[in-house]
Amino acid sequence: MRNRYRLLALFLLLPVGSALANPDVTSREYKLMLHVAPFSYSTESATVTSLLDDAHNAIEHAINRSVSGLPWLEKQRDISFFDTQGSCELRRRGYSLRERVENGASEVALKFRSPDRYLSDFEDVSSDTPGAETKLESDVSANANEPFKVVYSHSTKAPNACTINKIEDVNVHFPEFHSHYGLDDDLALSLVGNLSVREHVYRGVEIDLGQHDAQISVTLWYQGIPSGSQKPLVAEISFKYEDVSADYTRKVVNRAKDSFEALKSLSGWVDSDSKTKTTFVYEYIPTFCQ
């Protein structure tokens, strides 16, 4: 308790724009890309169930704790990324701008990512938009070259009522971003890769990590509205746990690591050579940033 009072006192003395000496990571998400070959729209639910059955068995064996629940299609929404065509001014600064549209409602998210937790915390992504939510999150991933990679993302999502076509649409939601980088309001934004994605998200299965439960998600991205035997562009399995005080126990983080290793062992599902979702979008048309 005494340490928390000291931390609060330190926070009150910090000048504007300073990061905390030990910034709280309130959310931790572990992500693995999947082979898309087993999936198709017509058999999507059954394939997701089969994947999560295998994940269930592997994780329970690894951590000797329960994995419970049944998967269900929780979200169907449209995803778009925006940047300046030819220069990618946002990505060049470590940022991404994403819009999600679900049931006609738009939500825009500005995210900065860095392998340095302190650099991520310094970036001010705050928003004055009512209903905006900000978090500092660690994203854990793996690929053929990096079996365990951590990147810190500082992001804010906010309800959105405007059509996104220029930097002004970013600045209006995120005034501190505008204040720091000074990008001109009239600078045009384009749909990255000219690609609109229909996202399907399955949830309902949870891992008992002890102090926290981790929610498993399976995310599938299709080009446009899927039909028939259409395959997704990308597929991902992830799990996340959160604590607003970032007070994670050693047992929780060790069980999470062991659960992640168990998922990595599912070689028939996991594609260690695949790109992340955002990288896939930016490389969909390789010349977009040139």
Side-chain angles (χ1 to χ4, degrees):
M1 182 63 72
R2 182 177 303 168
N3 288 337
R4 290 199 178 278
Y5 283 130
R6 287 176 178 168
L7 184 60
L8 176 60
L10 174 63
F11 175 78
L12 293 174
L13 291 172
L14 284 172
V16 174
S18 294
L20 289 174
N22 187 27
D24 286 344
V25 177
T26 57
S27 175
R28 308 192 77 218
E29 186 168 14
Y30 297 70
K31 304 177 180 181
L32 289 169
M33 303 309 295
L34 303 170
H35 295 293
V36 298
F39 295 92
S40 69
Y41 174 69
S42 59
T43 61
E44 178 183 276
S45 179
T47 307
V48 169
T49 298
S50 179
L51 163 65
L52 291 176
D53 283 344
D54 289 348
H56 177 139
N57 294 332
I59 293 171
E60 281 197 343
H61 178 75
I63 67 173
N64 196 29
R65 296 185 75 90
S66 67
V67 178
S68 59
L70 296 173
W72 60 286
L73 181 57
E74 182 186 69
K75 294 183 181 295
Q76 298 182 67
R77 53 195 179 188
D78 297 312
I79 307 290
S80 302
F81 287 80
F82 295 89
D83 211 329
T84 58
Q85 187 165 2
S87 60
C88 289
E89 294 293 335
L90 297 178
R91 188 166 179 83
R92 186 167 65 83
R93 290 169 170 81
Y95 279 88
S96 64
L97 179 70
R98 182 198 66 215
E99 182 186 28
R100 286 173 171 165
V101 178
E102 184 176 5
N103 298 323
S106 170
E107 172 192 271
V108 65
L110 183 68
K111 177 184 288 189
F112 176 84
R113 303 179 79 241
S114 171
D116 190 311
R117 177 167 49 133
Y118 300 93
L119 289 179
S120 286
D121 190 53
F122 271 121
E123 291 295 313
D124 193 340
V125 294
S126 60
S127 175
D128 298 329
T129 304
E133 298 178 9
T134 301
K135 65 180 177 181
L136 179 63
E137 180 175 52
S138 63
D139 293 327
V140 182
S141 61
N143 57 42
N145 298 318
E146 296 175 292
F148 195 87
K149 177 182 179 181
V150 181
V151 174
Y152 295 92
S153 62
H154 198 185
S155 65
T156 296
K157 60 182 180 181
N160 174 57
C162 63
T163 299
I164 299 174
N165 54 30
K166 53 186 178 179
I167 286 290
E168 180 183 17
D169 304 318
V170 181
N171 295 339
V172 71
H173 285 296
F174 308 100
E176 295 304 321
F177 172 84
H178 175 52
S179 176
H180 183 73
Y181 290 105
L183 295 177
D184 190 274
D185 278 348
D186 291 327
L187 190 61
L189 289 176
S190 300
L191 186 64
V192 176
N194 197 30
L195 180 65
S196 292
V197 174
R198 173 59 61 93
E199 180 180 69
H200 289 188
V201 181
Y202 284 82
R203 291 186 179 136
V205 177
E206 293 187 339
I207 309 168
D208 175 14
L209 296 177
Q211 180 193 36
H212 299 289
D213 290 335
Q215 184 180 66
I216 297 179
S217 298
V218 177
T219 302
L220 306 172
W221 276 10
Y222 295 94
Q223 186 171 14
I225 299 174
S227 61
S229 59
Q230 181 178 345
K231 291 189 176 298
L233 297 169
V234 295
E236 177 191 79
I237 186 169
S238 64
F239 64 87
K240 176 192 293 189
Y241 56 98
E242 300 176 324
D243 187 332
V244 294
S245 64
D247 189 20
Y248 309 108
T249 68
R250 182 174 182 175
K251 288 183 178 179
V252 164
V253 296
N254 271 295
R255 288 171 184 147
K257 177 182 179 296
D258 290 343
S259 297
F260 187 60
E261 295 292 340
L263 288 179
K264 284 168 56 180
S265 72
L266 303 177
S267 57
W269 294 103
V270 174
D271 184 358
S272 61
D273 294 321
S274 182
K275 305 169 185 175
T276 65
K277 300 194 299 296
T278 304
T279 299
F280 177 88
V281 171
Y282 268 90
E283 295 183 0
Y284 188 71
I285 296 180
T287 58
F288 180 83
C289 290
Q290 299 173 6

